[in-house]
Amino acid sequence: MIQVQYRDRLGNQLFQYCFGRILAEELGYRLEAKPLPHFPGTSTVVDGQAIESPVWDCPELVTLDEILADRSPRRIVINRYMQQYRHYRPYRDKIRAWVEIGRSKVQPEPDSLVLHMRFGDFRQKGWVLSPDYYHAIITQETFSRLYIVTDEPGSPELESFVPYQPTLVTGSPIESLRFIRSARRIVLSQSTYSWWGAFLSEADRIYFPLPRRSIWSPGATFVDLRVDESRYIYVTGAETLPKIAE
């Protein structure tokens, strides 16, 4: 059996679900994972062997080859983040079908530019990207309309974008994710939420931040979500705003 014990929010949970489903399908095990709301594909029953013991907690830094090489009967528990894109590369088409959420009811124009700016809990963690990161990309692009998808429409960091007369997108988390997924040009924050919106999209260009010192800094953490597709453009050296004391 593969048992998924979800951690944190939606973006993280999608990785945990997909990792668990890959293992279940490859090993012929039953998948025990609660369906994720608004993602109908996660309700699919993945049946197979339902082994209760021994129990093996999957470590964070492991390769699929290592797990699949051990065919001894066991219950594998997924309760970590599993945010290495190398796990998912061979299954990318299947994953896009498993967690498809459809397009937004109101879609951005094909020649618009869609930014994701996350604040909230990222302020305490020191993961909010400086507006300079976004401005540097804006100056390189030609667009008919600028959209900013954000969880804080009143944030002072948005003031510098007023000259562009942006349209703020602040709907429900799922509808905002669908909006990102519907865009042709996307500028990511360092959030797994926007990562999934871009990964599921048919975007032509996706700007991906690689800050000097933060969660997406190459080699700095257990996270490496760089995608080897030509539509991804990596922006190195982006700064993060100072961490806010809790």
Side-chain angles (χ1 to χ4, degrees), residues 5 12 31 42 46 116 118 178 208 212 227:
Q5 298 176 348
N12 295 308
L31 176 64
T42 63
V46 181
H116 181 244
R118 180 170 171 179
R178 288 192 179 113
F208 188 117
R212 291 186 178 89
V227 180

Side-chain angles (χ1 to χ4, degrees), residues 67-85:
I67 301 175
L68 299 179
D70 183 354
R71 296 285 171 157
S72 58
R74 52 185 170 163
R75 174 158 60 102
I76 301 175
V77 177
I78 309 299
N79 58 11
R80 293 176 173 82
Y81 293 100
M82 315 317 297
Q83 291 177 17
Q84 294 276 326
Y85 183 64

Side-chain angles (χ1 to χ4, degrees), residues 4-18:
V4 179
Q5 298 176 348
Y6 291 122
R7 295 184 62 175
D8 293 336
R9 299 185 183 183
L10 178 60
N12 295 308
Q13 292 174 2
L14 285 167
F15 283 109
Q16 293 150 18
Y17 172 84
C18 290

Side-chain angles (χ1 to χ4, degrees), residues 88-103:
Y88 308 103
R89 183 185 297 108
Y91 308 92
R92 67 178 114 195
D93 292 336
K94 284 187 174 182
I95 289 170
R96 286 175 174 137
W98 294 343
V99 298
E100 173 58 38
I101 54 171
R103 293 179 175 273

Side-chain angles (χ1 to χ4, degrees), residues 61 84 211-224 226:
L61 293 176
Q84 294 276 326
R212 291 186 178 89
R213 295 178 300 277
S214 197
I215 191 170
W216 281 9
S217 305
T221 66
F222 57 82
V223 176
D224 188 352
R226 289 173 290 178

Side-chain angles (χ1 to χ4, degrees), residues 81-186:
Y81 293 100
M82 315 317 297
Q83 291 177 17
Q84 294 276 326
Y85 183 64
R86 61 182 178 174
H87 301 322
Y88 308 103
R89 183 185 297 108
Y91 308 92
R92 67 178 114 195
D93 292 336
K94 284 187 174 182
I95 289 170
R96 286 175 174 137
W98 294 343
V99 298
E100 173 58 38
I101 54 171
R103 293 179 175 273
S104 174
K105 295 177 182 177
V106 179
Q107 297 186 25
E109 298 82 357
D111 60 348
S112 63
L113 184 64
V114 175
L115 278 58
H116 181 244
M117 300 186 71
R118 180 170 171 179
F119 300 104
D121 59 328
F122 273 29
R123 292 189 186 280
Q124 284 71 38
K125 296 175 180 178
W127 297 346
V128 175
L129 293 169
S130 167
D132 292 341
Y133 156 71
Y134 297 96
H135 283 297
I137 296 168
I138 288 172
T139 58
Q140 298 176 31
E141 287 281 353
T142 301
F143 49 88
S144 63
R145 193 171 183 180
L146 180 67
Y147 290 93
I148 300 178
V149 181
T150 182
D151 58 340
E152 284 189 16
S155 172
E157 284 85 4
L158 298 177
E159 293 177 2
S160 64
F161 299 92
V162 170
Y164 299 105
Q165 298 181 304
T167 298
L168 301 185
V169 179
T170 59
S172 70
I174 289 299
E175 192 54 33
S176 294
L177 187 63
R178 288 192 179 113
F179 191 86
I180 296 171
R181 179 252 181 274
S182 301
R184 303 297 301 192
R185 286 180 288 176
I186 304 169

